[in-house]
Amino acid sequence: MKNLNTTPFQLSHQTQTRTPTPPPPSSSPLKQTIAVASIAAGIQFGWALQLSLLTPYVQLLGIPHKWASLIWLCGPISGMLVQPFVGYYSDRSRSRFGRRRPFIAAGAGLVAIAVVLIGYAADIGVALGDRVDSTPKSHAIVVFAVGFWILDVANNMLQGPCRALLADLSGNSGKKTRTANYFFSFFMAVGNVLGFAAGAFTHLHDAFPFTMTKACDVYCANLKSCFFFSILLLITLTTSALWYVDEKQWSPESETEVKNGGEDDDDDQNEITEEVTATSKEVKLPLFGELFAAVKDIKRPMAMLLVVTCLTWIAWFPFLLFDTDWMGREVYGGNSVGNVNDNARRVFNTGVRAGAMGLMLNSVVLGFTSLGLGRLARGVGGVTRLWGIVNFILAFCLGMTVLITKMAESSRRGLAVSEIASPPIGVKIGALSLFALLGVPLAITYSVPFALASIFSSSSGAGQGLSLGVLNLAIVVPQMIVSVGAGPFDEMFGGGNIPGFVLAAVAAAVSGVLALTVLPSPPPEANVLKVSAGGGH
């Protein structure tokens, strides 16, 4: 799916293996941590472009609105299948370049290949036989789909090893580990703002005049140009970080020596050595069996957390997938499907850029809200109550999309397609304010569920990684459901995005009620908001 950072749709390397490798005993300089964390800006820049521009783009290629959401299936599928293998083999890699760096470099290279395929899908399609003046462009759609799936696989290859390398660089210091994750989250926010700002800029293609071709109009040329900047930023940050950070070659024998290096308590050290030696030889990769076994034995607090998380993401995904499409179609009154009027396509593209601006505002509010989560939680009486309250805010905002849409439609009543222009200023302000306000519940969604899962697993004696792995199922399964069902569900009620948004509002309200009534509060001594969580991809 959209992959929300380690999107919330993906598992870290710790959640995927039974025997995660311990970090080295000493930490690295802060400059190296910042260098690795900065890669998140390049990753999230590209992800922001995906969120804001690609759903409208697939409809320009001729994929009907009701099937456009299927493209996003690659996010949860690659998160469940690719990330476990990447985490497993990066933990055990004996490359002379280090354990994490080869995967990070390969992921960055694949991102570059993927975005070239996506950006040039229309040109390649015409070269293979597509007609410029008709849709659907079948060859272009195939090229786009291949590039999009490669892009999601590449993002999985990048994010897990990046976070793992940050953990390695932090050593045994909990403070430095939190600092590393704070920097990673900060650079994610920077990438989001830059990516959404690039998507909202109208004349970015002027920097790359060659991007406009007979098969690629202004919107397509802007998309290409955004992706060129994305490649440049990611490759620059990745190359700088991998050159600056010196990762040592790993071997099971050196790990055993580290674990057995002390003089005190020889018997305990021997036991540790035997355990590490045995696990270093273990090659079994229990991916799904262990997760589903954990679901069967789940305790009530964790079960309630999964229910609330699942409903929360059912509420979020329709908007996250179609927010810019909603701006272009319902708010601005444009259209992108088929051989539409030139003015309808122009208005649609203008609305999509306005939606990208709204997502930039959303990211800014999300970043500031994240900094104040502790105070917010204390102010309302705890994190579970905070989560419940903001889910009602989410429901309210999703419901307000109906009112904004009706106001926009009312302003266009009686106008011919060629006469449609931008909506009234009040409608614009209302829509952009809605985007900004949604940054508050999104900040809580990106942090509190992961923190509660960690706390509930500790209090019940369950493994942290396994519990977070189970939580991940409550995120990727809703994404799959929405990706498969959102388009056909909207079509049942006449098309457009509003039916899905209304159903999402109901899910948000139910999740808010459950968070306030059945979700247990963590122990007072648990510092919930110090647990780092992913977001945005």
Side-chain angles (χ1 to χ4, degrees):
M1 150 150 198
K2 268 179 177 192
N3 256 342
L4 290 172
N5 145 356
T6 308
T7 53
F9 322 133
Q10 304 154 356
L11 300 179
S12 66
H13 77 295
Q14 290 94 334
T15 69
Q16 303 301 329
T17 61
R18 175 173 293 174
T19 56
T21 306
S26 59
S27 58
S28 300
L30 182 60
K31 290 182 180 179
Q32 293 191 8
T33 296
I34 295 175
V36 174
S38 69
I39 297 175
I43 298 172
Q44 209 65 22
F45 186 100
W47 181 244
L49 295 176
Q50 283 183 260
L51 289 178
S52 58
L53 301 180
L54 289 193
T55 294
Y57 181 58
V58 299
Q59 295 180 62
L60 289 172
L61 296 179
I63 299 178
H65 174 79
K66 66 179 180 179
W67 303 121
S69 60
L70 291 176
I71 293 291
W72 294 97
L73 268 175
C74 55
I77 291 175
S78 64
M80 291 183 70
L81 298 180
V82 176
Q83 188 80 2
F85 290 97
V86 170
Y88 179 80
Y89 286 108
S90 73
D91 274 344
R92 290 157 176 78
S93 172
R94 303 190 190 188
S95 167
R96 64 188 180 91
F97 299 106
R99 288 185 296 173
R100 321 295 182 191
R101 292 197 298 171
F103 290 92
I104 295 173
L110 284 175
V111 167
I113 294 171
V115 297
V116 169
L117 286 175
I118 292 171
Y120 279 88
D123 298 279
I124 297 173
V126 168
L128 295 176
D130 288 340
R131 292 176 57 89
V132 175
D133 57 351
S134 65
T135 56
K137 297 177 171 60
S138 55
H139 295 95
I141 291 170
V142 171
V143 173
F144 172 87
V146 171
F148 194 73
W149 280 70
I150 292 174
L151 183 60
D152 259 65
V153 169
N155 281 333
N156 277 282
M157 289 185 66
L158 269 170
Q159 294 191 57
C162 273
R163 285 195 177 274
L165 183 54
L166 287 174
D168 295 342
L169 293 174
S170 299
N172 291 327
S173 170
K175 180 180 179 181
K176 289 188 176 181
T177 300
R178 289 195 298 273
T179 300
N181 281 286
Y182 293 157
F183 274 116
F184 195 88
S185 298
F186 168 76
F187 282 111
M188 280 184 62
V190 171
N192 268 335
V193 172
L194 293 177
F196 291 136
F201 189 53
T202 310
H203 300 289
L204 198 62
H205 66 282
D206 291 343
F208 303 97
F210 59 87
T211 55
M212 283 195 66
T213 65
K214 66 177 183 178
C216 189
D217 61 9
V218 173
Y219 182 87
C220 172
N222 266 324
L223 180 67
K224 283 183 188 175
S225 302
C226 288
F227 276 135
F228 284 143
F229 279 113
S230 173
I231 294 173
L232 180 63
L233 179 63
L234 180 61
I235 296 299
T236 300
L237 293 173
T238 302
T239 303
S240 301
L242 298 186
W243 172 80
Y244 183 62
V245 176
D246 183 22
E247 190 185 12
K248 295 180 180 178
Q249 185 176 6
W250 174 84
S251 68
E253 293 77 15
S254 63
E255 181 179 291
T256 301
E257 291 172 5
V258 170
K259 294 292 290 181
N260 196 31
E263 296 291 333
D264 300 330
D265 202 353
D266 290 340
D267 291 339
D268 288 344
Q269 290 286 359
N270 288 335
E271 289 178 9
I272 294 173
T273 302
E274 291 171 5
E275 180 182 344
V276 173
T277 304
T279 56
S280 67
K281 296 177 182 179
E282 184 180 326
V283 295
K284 184 180 178 183
L285 183 58
L287 296 178
F288 302 109
E290 201 171 329
L291 286 176
F292 288 111
V295 171
K296 288 165 55 175
D297 299 329
I298 202 165
K299 303 295 183 183
R300 186 178 183 278
M302 192 68 182
M304 293 299 99
L305 175 62
L306 294 183
V307 171
V308 177
T309 300
C310 183
L311 288 169
T312 300
W313 282 109
I314 287 176
W316 270 115
F317 281 130
F319 188 80
L320 292 176
L321 292 180
F322 292 106
D323 42 20
T324 53
D325 184 70
W326 170 68
M327 284 289 284
R329 188 182 304 274
E330 277 92 347
V331 178
Y332 274 68
N335 197 358
S336 62
V337 180
N339 299 317
V340 299
N341 180 280
D342 287 341
N343 184 64
R345 193 184 300 276
R346 180 189 62 78
V347 172
F348 178 82
N349 293 340
T350 303
V352 168
R353 288 193 294 271
M357 178 63 68
L359 288 170
M360 185 187 73
L361 297 175
N362 176 279
S363 297
V364 173
V365 173
L366 187 154
F368 281 109
T369 303
S370 298
L371 296 176
L373 281 182
R375 289 186 178 181
L376 284 175
R378 289 190 296 271
V380 300
V383 290
T384 56
R385 184 173 295 180
L386 174 63
W387 193 7
I389 292 171
V390 299
N391 277 357
F392 285 115
I393 296 176
L394 171 59
F396 170 78
C397 290
L398 292 171
M400 285 297 293
T401 60
V402 179
L403 177 60
I404 293 173
T405 298
K406 294 302 180 184
M407 292 173 60
E409 290 175 348
S410 177
S411 70
R412 297 191 296 269
R413 190 169 294 126
L415 295 178
V417 174
S418 59
E419 298 173 333
I420 295 175
S422 297
I425 187 66
V427 173
K428 291 182 184 178
I429 292 174
L432 293 177
S433 299
L434 186 147
F435 273 93
L437 182 58
L438 282 170
V440 176
L442 193 58
I444 279 73
T445 304
Y446 280 168
S447 56
V448 170
F450 299 91
L452 290 176
S454 180
I455 291 168
F456 291 159
S457 65
S458 297
S459 60
S460 65
Q464 294 273 350
L466 191 58
S467 296
L468 291 174
V470 172
L471 182 68
N472 190 70
L473 294 177
I475 298 172
V476 297
V477 171
Q479 186 180 3
M480 291 179 180
I481 293 172
V482 172
S483 295
V484 172
F489 179 80
D490 287 338
E491 197 70 18
M492 287 171 54
F493 294 90
N497 298 296
I498 294 302
F501 289 178
V502 171
L503 185 62
V506 174
V510 173
S511 65
V513 171
L514 293 178
L516 292 173
T517 57
V518 302
L519 189 61
S521 296
E525 64 274 11
N527 196 341
V528 177
L529 297 174
K530 280 192 177 180
V531 180
S532 177
H537 195 223

